Amino acid sequence: MLQLIRHPLFLHTRRDATETPMETAIRWSPSSDTHEQRFLLVDVTGCSFSHCKVKSYDGKDFKYETLCGTRRAPLFRAFDWSPHDESIVAVGDISGSATVIRLDDSQTSPIALPVRQQRPCNAVAFSKTGLLATGLERVRADFSLNIWDVSRRLSEKTSTVSSPGKSSVEPIRKLASSETITSIRFFLGQPDTLAAGVKGTCIRLYDLRENIGNPPLQFQTASVHNLAIDPLDENYLASAVTQKDTTIQIWDRRLALSSSAASLGSGTSHSAPLGPVLEYRNAFESSSSKAQSNIWSLRYCKGKSGYLGALASNGDFRVFETKHANHAGENYTQDQGTHTQDVQLQTERQLRTRRVHHVGPFLDSRRPDNARIVSFDFTNLAGPKGMPSAITLRGSGSVEVYELKGRAPTYALSSDGDLVCSGITRELEPLSRTKDGSLAQLGLFQVKPSTVEPIDGLSNRLEETDISRQANGDKISKANISMENGKQLSSREMHEKWFENRYLHHVPSISGALATLTMDRRRCLEGYLFDCEKNMKIAGDDPWLVELWEWVGRVKRLANDETFIVRGIDLNYLGIWNIWNTDLGQEKAARISGKSENTEILYAIEAICRSLGLPDLSRIESSLPAHRRLSLYLCDFGLSGEEMRVAISDLAKQGQTTKAAFLALINDIPKQAADILRNGSHPADRELSLALAGYIRGITDDAWCETIQNIAASLADPYARGILALVRNGSWHDVLHETSLSLKFRVGIALMYLADDDLTTYVTTTTNECTDHGDIEGTVLTGLSSKAVPLLQNYILKYHDLQTAILAISHTSPRYFPSSLVDTWRAEYRTRLNTYRLFLHRVRFDTGATKLSVANGSHGKPNLAPPARQVSLKCSHCEQAMDRNPAHVAASSAPAPVSFPSSADQNRSIFADDVQTGTACSKCGKHLPRCVVCMLWLGMPDPHTKGGEHANAAAMERSREIKDDGKGERGRMLMKDFICVCRGCWHTMHVGHAEEWFRDNRTCPVPGCECACGERDGGFGGMGGVRV
């Protein structure tokens, strides 16, 4: 047996008698904003309406108060809430009459809209212009779709309820003769157009402005219930079947056929009926064989297009997220080769499902009956995560708010080095009342603002990753990581171990571990750029990088002083390998002006040695003494005897006794070395002092060598091991094999004590090893020449430190040599900074690298070409450049139009006042749009024009008269004439006028435009949707 029940969502449905009818409903006010949120509660059984206002919501408890309401409504089967006046509702009863009720005035009698022949009213719907449509059951020789002008009736204050047949009240339009109307919806953007479901036949689209004889558009389908129109894209509407079927169909009204064409049924391509663009069969599969679920409600989201909500009778609430399908747009043809336009049009407008959100689970045996969701509506405000939100009503009467969730929780690392979980929501704060009693600024869904920790030094933020931090009372240094499994590590291997295991004495926190993943970002924020001294401080946790930037700083100062430039020969930033081999490589053309022979390069090296006052080298005979002296200077060994003694004494006073003693031995000052070790405070200094004393006396027997070897096995200090390597056999070759010493020391020893051929072999072999292993210490050999590029490439692959590599090599490339690999590094580093949103830091990098690329004798012209022009201003009318130079008329990619609407505009002179001030196009004379508030032309005068110079000078003078009170008044004065555009309706206005208008208003100032420009971002007040 079937029975008729009262359905609260505008339409009538039939259900099995065993199924519980929906007894309550909820509707969200589309005019709610961040300051005040309202909704409507409907009690179908008690025939009452309650207009409510949200008091507070803390993420769990939803509190509201009733503003007004009525309990005098007649028994009804359908209702609707007026979108233009929230105090008005309309109901349709079983006799077919519609009643208009005011909720805020209990003294005013309801307005009755009777019908000629009594039959059930299945649906009522308001338009935003005050029209009311009622859909009735079918009777012979009478219309079932009546259109009433409720706004006129309200203005006449008519409250007489007359009997059918005797009333003078008549609808303004009567449609759908002898048909059953199941559902009605008005289009918001076109309030004179509505969609109506005709039972068992079609969905029909009526335009009330057309003549009665014009055939309406329609879709042939039996799915004609629960019509819903997407308010943000009204080309799409959804419908459903209610009786023992959960099929949902989505239609595109641009594909609708006229009723006359559909009735012909000719079968041609132009009249063939087209199906839905998306269909969900069995959208709600029944979880129990005892009961079959039906679709109770369909609603489209008010804040985001493509979100369709559906509620089943078992309480299952789902949201279907749709998007346009991507098609290549091929032309579909028939056998005759003609275009099948309808098929192509339908294919290009297909929708696909992006995701189905299961908001409310269906009712099962584990959940009480009153816990299911019985009604819902989408809000027009976004939730804390920016997703659409819905307000729901449960069978128990409790009101809740749901924000759609994203995908399943996943973890990922952001570009800022933060661990991101998609399932973690931000903390919500309860709404609080302000002094004036209004809700807080952010409205219903208020997000607790996150705190941003200021950057106050890399060591404070990365103390757990600092290699120089104090841990267990011992200072972490090279000596602490020089041994592994009883084996002494080389300087390169120590660097690799430091990089692989930075946490030597503690387990790091998650934040500390994540900090190392974006070390380049954090260093960049500290100012890691082209200032070598600053870079040494920022990279102070890495001793190898400190040595690198110390060396780069020395050669950079020499380059600025032009010390290494002699007779047009530029030897700046070269390494020891280049100097010793007199090889400038592929940079020779850039470093030598004119034709110069190697003899001139030799002369340049000698001249540099003389200008620097480098001491003569008398320890070994060499055919290239100047090359040795300059190479020693590059590795910080080019001091005179007295200067070296002072430097050694300073190291001893600083407590670096082993380093000072080793340096004294290298410079052939054994007595000073012995004195330093004898006066040392460390226990190992006494042992080293005794070993050095034996070396001075010339002891070299086997027992002596074994004793020295045993002492060395217990020491990890590289300088102490270097001293023992020398005193064991008295050979500097043994010292060169002590790889725990830094490369700079080993190369300096080789320059002092190896013969020419041996030195050439050692420098070449060591350079190749450093290049193959990406040893950053090898830059003292390769310099920053083209030979350093493969070394830095391997360094990047091993240490993932693109930042240091590009900052170092930018001093020489492309100044001395071009390199496609370096260009790739530079582009990647720029992209990385943009990813971190460090745009200003990227600009500083660009400008610094450009300055470094200026070669000597280039008259200040950089070798690093600036980026191509990214922005060009074009007139929207003639598509030509906004340039007053007549030679640039044809510079636009688009041809100029043949004619313009106005001959006066077409013949406008470029010497006109508005063209001269820069507020009009100099080609076609067209203006920018007008401000919708003051109706004046938009545009700021160009200060480079004759007229614009005076206008801007006057504006600046007025701004100076305003006292800067710290509130930005002077800045607002300068910005008031700028252009701002609403991203929703694209209306334009002056910034000053926009601020003044949206201070007291929410919607667009253009008459008839209902765009909420000031609230478009949902949850942000003021000019949320307006952008300058």
Side-chain angles (χ1 to χ4, degrees), residues 204-408:
R204 195 169 294 159
L205 307 180
Y206 291 99
D207 190 343
L208 303 180
R209 297 166 297 184
E210 294 184 350
N211 296 327
I212 299 179
N214 292 341
L217 301 177
Q218 67 181 35
F219 297 104
Q220 295 182 3
T221 180
S223 177
V224 295
H225 299 272
N226 295 309
L227 291 182
I229 301 175
D230 191 342
L232 301 179
D233 189 354
E234 294 189 335
N235 290 314
Y236 296 100
L237 62 154
S239 63
V241 180
T242 59
Q243 293 185 5
K244 297 183 180 180
D245 192 355
T246 58
T247 298
I248 299 175
Q249 296 177 335
I250 300 178
W251 307 86
D252 188 339
R253 68 170 178 172
R254 293 167 292 187
L255 304 179
L257 297 176
S258 65
S259 58
S260 59
S263 62
L264 292 177
S266 61
T268 63
S269 61
H270 296 284
S271 61
L274 300 177
V277 293
L278 186 61
E279 183 176 20
Y280 298 103
R281 294 187 180 274
N282 298 323
F284 296 91
E285 296 181 357
S286 178
S287 61
S288 174
S289 59
K290 297 180 180 180
Q292 177 70 35
S293 61
N294 298 331
I295 295 179
W296 271 8
S297 176
L298 290 181
R299 308 287 294 172
Y300 264 108
C301 179
K302 302 178 179 65
K304 199 168 185 178
S305 178
Y307 284 79
L308 175 64
L311 178 64
S313 57
N314 60 3
D316 194 352
F317 176 25
R318 301 182 184 183
V319 178
F320 301 89
E321 182 181 352
T322 62
K323 66 175 295 185
H324 293 277
N326 295 324
H327 292 284
E330 303 108 343
N331 292 328
Y332 295 86
T333 59
Q334 294 182 352
D335 296 337
Q336 295 83 357
T338 58
H339 291 281
T340 311
Q341 297 178 358
D342 294 335
V343 177
Q344 180 186 3
L345 182 63
Q346 183 184 15
T347 304
E348 292 178 351
R349 291 172 179 170
Q350 286 290 331
L351 295 179
R352 70 177 181 88
T353 305
R354 176 182 291 175
R355 184 164 179 257
V356 179
H357 302 262
H358 295 264
V359 181
F362 55 82
L363 185 66
D364 55 22
S365 58
R366 294 172 297 177
R367 297 171 63 90
D369 183 73
N370 62 357
R372 65 177 177 175
I373 299 175
V374 296
S375 182
F376 82 98
D377 194 8
F378 282 105
T379 70
N380 60 345
L381 299 177
K385 295 182 294 185
M387 295 293 291
S389 299
I391 186 170
T392 61
L393 181 64
R394 294 193 177 273
S396 60
S398 62
V399 179
E400 298 175 354
V401 175
Y402 284 95
E403 181 184 7
L404 299 185
K405 297 181 180 179
R407 298 178 179 177

Side-chain angles (χ1 to χ4, degrees), residues 512-525:
L514 293 176
T516 63
L517 300 179
T518 53
M519 186 71 74
D520 54 350
R521 175 181 178 270
R522 298 172 184 269
R523 284 176 176 170
C524 182
L525 290 172

